[in-house]
Coordinates of all heavy atoms in Angstrom, one line a residue:
N20 N -3.8 -1.2 5.6 CA -3.1 -1.7 6.8 C -3.5 -3.1 7.1 O -4.6 -3.6 6.7 CB -3.5 -0.8 8.0 CG -2.9 0.6 7.9 OD1 -1.8 0.8 7.3 ND2 -3.6 1.5 8.4
F21 N -2.6 -3.8 7.8 CA -2.9 -5.1 8.3 C -3.1 -6.2 7.3 O -4.0 -7.0 7.4 CB -4.0 -5.1 9.3 CG -3.9 -4.1 10.4 CD1 -4.9 -3.0 10.4 CD2 -2.9 -4.1 11.3 CE1 -4.8 -2.0 11.4 CE2 -2.8 -3.1 12.3 CZ -3.7 -2.1 12.3
I22 N -2.3 -6.2 6.2 CA -2.3 -7.2 5.2 C -1.6 -8.4 5.8 O -0.4 -8.3 6.1 CB -1.7 -6.8 3.9 CG1 -2.3 -5.5 3.3 CG2 -1.7 -7.9 2.9 CD1 -1.6 -4.9 2.2
K23 N -2.3 -9.5 5.9 CA -1.6 -10.8 6.4 C -0.9 -11.5 5.3 O -1.5 -11.7 4.2 CB -2.7 -11.7 7.0 CG -3.5 -11.1 8.2 CD -2.6 -10.9 9.4 CE -3.4 -10.4 10.5 NZ -2.6 -10.0 11.7
L24 N 0.3 -11.8 5.6 CA 1.2 -12.5 4.5 C 1.8 -13.7 5.2 O 2.6 -13.5 6.1 CB 2.2 -11.5 4.0 CG 3.2 -12.0 3.0 CD1 2.4 -12.4 1.7 CD2 4.2 -10.9 2.6
L25 N 1.5 -14.9 4.7 CA 2.2 -16.1 5.1 C 3.0 -16.6 4.0 O 2.5 -16.9 2.9 CB 1.1 -17.1 5.5 CG 1.6 -18.5 6.0 CD1 2.3 -18.3 7.4 CD2 0.5 -19.5 6.1
H26 N 4.3 -16.8 4.2 CA 5.2 -17.2 3.2 C 5.8 -18.5 3.6 O 6.4 -18.7 4.7 CB 6.3 -16.2 2.9 CG 7.1 -16.5 1.7 ND1 8.3 -17.2 1.8 CD2 6.9 -16.3 0.4 CE1 8.8 -17.3 0.6 NE2 8.0 -16.8 -0.2
I27 N 5.7 -19.5 2.7 CA 6.3 -20.9 3.0 C 7.3 -21.2 2.0 O 7.1 -21.1 0.7 CB 5.2 -21.9 3.0 CG1 4.1 -21.6 4.0 CG2 5.7 -23.3 3.2 CD1 2.8 -22.5 3.9
R28 N 8.5 -21.6 2.4 CA 9.6 -22.0 1.6 C 9.8 -23.5 1.9 O 10.1 -23.9 3.0 CB 10.9 -21.2 1.8 CG 11.9 -21.5 0.7 CD 13.2 -20.6 1.0 NE 14.0 -21.3 1.9 CZ 14.6 -20.7 3.0 NH1 14.4 -19.5 3.2 NH2 15.3 -21.4 3.8
R29 N 9.7 -24.3 0.8 CA 9.9 -25.8 1.0 C 11.2 -26.2 0.5 O 11.6 -25.9 -0.6 CB 8.7 -26.5 0.3 CG 7.4 -26.2 0.9 CD 6.3 -26.8 0.0 NE 5.0 -26.6 0.6 CZ 4.2 -25.6 0.3 NH1 4.6 -24.7 -0.5 NH2 3.0 -25.4 0.9
E30 N 11.9 -26.9 1.3 CA 13.2 -27.5 0.9 C 13.2 -29.0 1.3 O 13.6 -29.3 2.5 CB 14.4 -26.8 1.6 CG 14.6 -25.4 1.1 CD 15.8 -24.7 1.7 OE1 16.6 -25.4 2.4 OE2 15.9 -23.5 1.5
G31 N 12.7 -29.8 0.4 CA 12.5 -31.2 0.8 C 11.5 -31.4 1.9 O 10.4 -31.0 1.8
N32 N 11.9 -32.1 2.9 CA 11.1 -32.4 4.0 C 11.0 -31.2 5.0 O 10.2 -31.3 6.0 CB 11.5 -33.7 4.8 CG 11.3 -34.9 4.0 OD1 10.4 -34.9 3.1 ND2 12.1 -36.0 4.2
V33 N 11.8 -30.2 4.8 CA 11.9 -29.1 5.7 C 11.1 -27.9 5.1 O 11.4 -27.6 4.0 CB 13.3 -28.7 6.1 CG1 13.4 -27.5 7.0 CG2 14.1 -29.9 6.7
H34 N 10.2 -27.3 5.9 CA 9.5 -26.2 5.5 C 9.8 -25.0 6.4 O 9.8 -25.1 7.6 CB 8.0 -26.4 5.5 CG 7.6 -27.5 4.5 ND1 6.3 -28.0 4.5 CD2 8.2 -28.2 3.6 CE1 6.2 -28.9 3.6 NE2 7.4 -29.0 3.0
Y35 N 10.0 -23.8 5.8 CA 10.3 -22.6 6.5 C 9.1 -21.7 6.4 O 8.7 -21.4 5.3 CB 11.5 -21.9 6.0 CG 12.8 -22.7 6.1 CD1 13.2 -23.6 5.1 CD2 13.5 -22.7 7.3 CE1 14.3 -24.3 5.2 CE2 14.7 -23.5 7.4 CZ 15.1 -24.3 6.4 OH 16.2 -25.1 6.5
I36 N 8.5 -21.3 7.5 CA 7.3 -20.5 7.5 C 7.5 -19.2 8.1 O 8.1 -19.1 9.2 CB 6.1 -21.2 8.2 CG1 5.8 -22.6 7.6 CG2 4.9 -20.3 8.3 CD1 4.8 -23.4 8.3

Side-chain angles (χ1 to χ4, degrees):
N20 292 329
F21 310 115
I22 301 169
K23 299 291 185 190
L24 179 61
L25 180 71
H26 188 265
I27 302 172
R28 190 178 85 227
R29 295 175 177 89
E30 293 182 7
N32 291 333
V33 179
H34 296 172
Y35 300 92
I36 298 173

